Amino acid sequence: MTTTPTPPVSAPTNPLFRLGLWWDGVIDRYNALPRLYKVVLVLAFALFVYALPLVRPPLIATDRIDFGGVMFACAAYALIALGLNIVIGYAGLLDLGYIGFYAVGAYTTGVLTSYHWAWPFFLALPVAVAVTMLTGVILGAPTLRVRGDYLAIVTLGFGEIIRICVKNIEWLGASAGIKDINHPNTIGPAPKPPFDPGGLFAIPRLEWNGITPSLDHEHATHFLVFGARDAIPYYWLLLTALIVVLLGDRLVKASRVGRAWEATREDEDAAELMGVPTFKYKLMAFALGAAIGGLSGAFYASSQSGYISPDSFPLATSFLFVAAVIVGGSGNRWGAMVGGVLVAYLPERFRDFADYRLLVFGLALTVLAITRPEGLLPPRRTRRAKMMEAEIEQLEEGPVDA
Amino acid sequence: MPDTAKLLEVDDVTIRFGGLTALDSVTFDIREGEILGLIGPNGAGKTTCFNVMTGVYQATSGQVRFDGAPLAKLKRHKITKLGIARTFQNIRLFKSMTVLENVMVGADAHSKVGFWDALLRTPRHRHTEEESTTRAKELLKIVGITARHDELAANLSYGDQRRLEIARAMATGPKLLCLDEPAAGFNPAEKVKLMDLIRKVRDQGYTVLLIEHDMRLVMGVTDRIVVLEFGRKIAEGAPEEIRDNPAVIAAYLGVEEDEDAS
Ligand SMILES: Nc1ncnc2c1ncn2[C@@H]1O[C@H](COP(=O)(O)OP(=O)(O)O)[C@@H](O)[C@H]1O
Ligand SMILES: [Mg+2]
């Protein structure tokens, strides 16, 4: 009998697996770079992302709807996914009513800056975050003590109750909603319509004619005017918040806090018996998630239109948030953000499909649940475990007579 | 064995699950610095005993005292902090975490680092992290895990998973280390190595409570033995006394011998 060499273990060929490997390659190559290169690379990437709505790359840019607005929505969903990823991905808590926190943040901002008071946006922002976080603690404290599916049910109820409450409470604007919510303060001279757009300076955007770009001074963005005309300054502001949250997320995850979350998610009993105060850490994850939801809600309320109503916060959108995290790859912050961006971007880019977006995402989720339950870009360790499984399978299936 | 202070006292503990009495007025204590064996046929109530001691179950009646203070109603993680750590009969590692992280979770039990320390990367965070990492690596060496520290726990061999459980429990800095059938599924050579490890652990100042099925092993490593059968304590004493105890032979050794013969 000839000894056939064991076939080299090759990675499964499906494209999603390739995506994971490619991503690992990117991360590895990045990690191997000298510090200076890393800084330069990160700054270049950040600059590109900041400039994206001005560059308006062909194919990516939406032409029928304002691309700046789409980018704002993408950043908002990325921030939401990042927050929900702490709750679902890190701590393993299924929060189906995340939109409730988004609404609390938005309404706190609305009430403070317009409906009852006239606070400046940046004063209302921390209060909105604090109120939302407190809401999270109040909701989480009794429910997180109980194991099992309670949380999913309670949060589901919460998401709906918040909407019904604001719809019926006159003090919160009832079904008419709240309008004229304060925009963030403009930096530089204030615009004086109709002739002076204000701002310190104007940045023209690119106009593409096929593949030849030209400067479009007519649709310049005025730095830094927060008004109804232009969504791009809001995008920049939100992107900055997103980056700050992203950095914080990194630091906290890579610490005993992150370990406690992960251990609790893996095996709550074992975690407790190893000294992890699981309730405390679950509550922390839940409240942090809530606070980030409130943060995005506050930005949403004060964005271009400056208008919110109960209809802005349907429960269905809450499911989209969950879908974003799970499709993207629960537990991996980059995966979750990619999920958030996809959920926000695809319906805008392919307008015809916007009406069916819940249906399409539901289908995508179902297909994904069957073929790839860990999402598009799951944490590296999940991928590694999968790879190991595949290797073992392949070894077991290897030539029997060898 | 010198008469040292009582570290843990199980005092007349009864626990019922519906109609089943899993522990029936069990009383024994564990002295500082000893290796106590807890043996008995399957279903005798050994694991249940661990569960009462670590706060997983509440005793129906009776009391468990640690360092003289009753444990009743204390949260599980508080009991761990007081100094009782355990392993599980059915391995319960954090599978998607790395080998090192598993042990670090144990080491975190006494960490004072909180959210703000982590976010602001305070000196306290840095020191604690360095200390725990060093300690975790030490422990991995002590229990003899040679796998890469960044390997996922799920990918370890069965034996290494058992050893990792011990390292994780030791990392919580316990006074009392409870091992629930740590040698289950080991071959004789591995078992001998494990018993050496347990002796080494005791010599480092830990008190050990050992559940083990293999009589010869228990005899070789323990200072004293408590025997359970159907939730009752039927004997207690030095290994040689237990070996010659007719009740134990009837309840336990007979069965064991038969199993070995088959
Ligand atoms: N949570 C529980 N509910 C009901 N019965 C249990 C529970 N835990 C243990 N028991 C029963 O208590 C008895 C003792 O179990 P255990 O302590 O696991 O035995 P062992 O000595 O083999 O470790 C068994 O009959 C078991 O079925
Ligand atoms: Mg048992």
Side-chain angles (χ1 to χ4, degrees), chain B residues 15-18 20-23 38-51 57 89 180-181 211 213 228 230-231:
Chain B
I15 178 162
R16 290 196 193 90
F17 299 111
L20 180 101
T21 306
L23 287 180
L38 185 60
I39 67 173
N42 259 328
K46 304 179 298 288
T47 301
T48 304
C49 212
F50 268 32
N51 283 335
Y57 298 149
Q89 186 175 348
D180 197 344
E181 305 205 17
I211 294 183
H213 232 71
L228 294 181
F230 298 125

Side-chain angles (χ1 to χ4, degrees), chain B residues 155-168:
Chain B
N155 295 348
L156 288 190
S157 70
Y158 175 82
D160 273 353
Q161 292 198 7
R162 284 233 174 265
R163 282 182 273 269
L164 180 55
E165 277 228 333
I166 298 177
R168 184 180 66 173

Side-chain angles (χ1 to χ4, degrees), chain A residues 55-63 67 208 210-211 345 349-350:
Chain A
V55 175
R56 307 164 51 78
L59 290 180
I60 293 179
T62 50
D63 20 293
F67 186 51
W208 294 82
I211 52 162
Y345 175 75
R349 176 66 182 77
F350 306 100

Side-chain angles (χ1 to χ4, degrees), chain B residues 133-148:
Chain B
T133 313
T134 317
R135 176 84 184 122
K137 285 182 177 163
E138 238 172 65
L139 285 170
L140 285 170
K141 208 154 126 199
I142 289 175
V143 300
I145 289 182
T146 46
R148 287 172 49 146

Side-chain angles (χ1 to χ4, degrees), chain A residues 248 251-252 254-256 259 262-263 265-267 269-277 288 381 384 388, chain B residues 54 76-77 80 86 88 92 94-96 101 104 108 111 113 115 118-119 121 125 129 150-152 155:
Chain A
L251 292 172
V252 173
S255 78
R256 71 92 52 112
R259 283 194 294 271
E262 212 166 333
R265 187 194 66 210
E266 286 282 300
D267 186 334
D269 288 312
E272 258 171 33
L273 290 166
M274 292 306 130
V276 178
L288 279 174
R381 49 188 54 183
R384 258 173 60 190
M388 193 81 173
Chain B
T54 51
R76 296 168 193 183
H77 64 91
T80 308
R86 65 175 286 178
F88 299 90
R92 292 180 77 167
F94 308 122
K95 291 210 168 80
S96 74
E101 282 171 344
M104 297 276 284
D108 288 337
S111 162
V113 170
F115 172 78
L119 186 66
R121 284 295 187 260
H125 171 271
E129 204 75 357
D150 63 352
E151 190 54 82
L152 295 186
N155 295 348

